Amino acid sequence: MRITRGRRNDDHHLGPLAEYTALRAEIIHLMDQQWKVTAFLITTSGAVFGFAFTSAGRMPLLLIVPFSSNILAARWVLCQHLVERVSLYIRSEFDPHVPGGIGYEKWLRKTTPEPPGVRRMLRQAQTSPTVLAFPALATLALGTVAWWFLLSGRAWSDPAVAPGLAAWAAGVVLTLLSLRLIRLAAKRRTVTDYLHWKPAAG
């Protein structure tokens, strides 16, 4: 009889443990996606910069970087948000129903205290410095194009100037939007915030 009860308890625990394994695998997958997005940005931006510097007339091609950077930054932040959501589920819904709790999650809560306010954003930049590559590369591309335009001596009456300035201005707006998106992501609850989160009583 005791053996039968022991097997039932083991079977009862297999489901939650399998779910936890799947959730952790999902977090790892999302973090891998973040790295791939960052690597893709750096690789493609390097190729664009290399091609643009082969000829002065190709410098406007650098305006591609702010556009691609904005799209990839949004993808990076989305993955971060999904990681946070999974962490919230583990902390608030899953951990309380597992006998003895999830040891690794408790260890994380003890060893990763979350600083408040501005310090939280600085911690976010320190722990995930790759996120800064998105606005940094876009800013570098915009600065290079502006420098090239000023040195090129092009007349403002040149038909190509107006669309070029419009594309440059759009790149500036997209870069600012990327910075705002990253700022909001850092200001929002981070992974450790979710791990410390407690449901309101009642």
Side-chain angles (χ1 to χ4, degrees), residues 20 24 27-28 31 90 95 100-112 191 195:
Y20 177 73
R24 273 292 162 187
I27 290 177
I28 293 174
M31 295 177 69
I90 292 175
D95 184 75
I102 303 298
Y104 180 61
E105 303 300 326
K106 292 182 178 179
W107 178 82
L108 280 177
R109 292 196 293 273
K110 292 179 181 179
T111 57
T112 53
V191 173
L195 291 173

Side-chain angles (χ1 to χ4, degrees), residues 38 41 45 49 65-66 68-74 76-77 128-143 171-172 174-183:
T38 306
L41 171 70
S45 296
F49 270 93
V65 176
S68 60
S69 176
N70 178 262
I71 296 173
L72 295 174
W76 193 99
V77 171
S128 302
T130 53
V131 72
L132 300 179
F134 299 96
L137 287 173
T139 302
L140 179 61
L142 291 169
V172 172
L174 290 175
T175 302
L176 293 175
L177 289 176
S178 297
L179 284 170
R180 183 175 183 274
L181 187 64
I182 294 170
R183 178 179 175 275

Side-chain angles (χ1 to χ4, degrees), residues 17-72:
L17 290 176
E19 183 180 4
Y20 177 73
T21 301
L23 291 172
R24 273 292 162 187
E26 180 66 16
I27 290 177
I28 293 174
H29 171 71
L30 290 169
M31 295 177 69
D32 182 61
Q33 289 295 313
Q34 287 180 305
W35 169 245
K36 288 181 178 178
V37 166
T38 306
F40 180 77
L41 171 70
I42 295 174
T43 302
T44 55
S45 296
V48 173
F49 270 93
F51 183 72
F53 276 104
T54 58
S55 173
R58 295 172 179 169
M59 284 296 179
L61 291 176
L62 291 177
L63 294 177
I64 297 174
V65 176
F67 288 84
S68 60
S69 176
N70 178 262
I71 296 173
L72 295 174

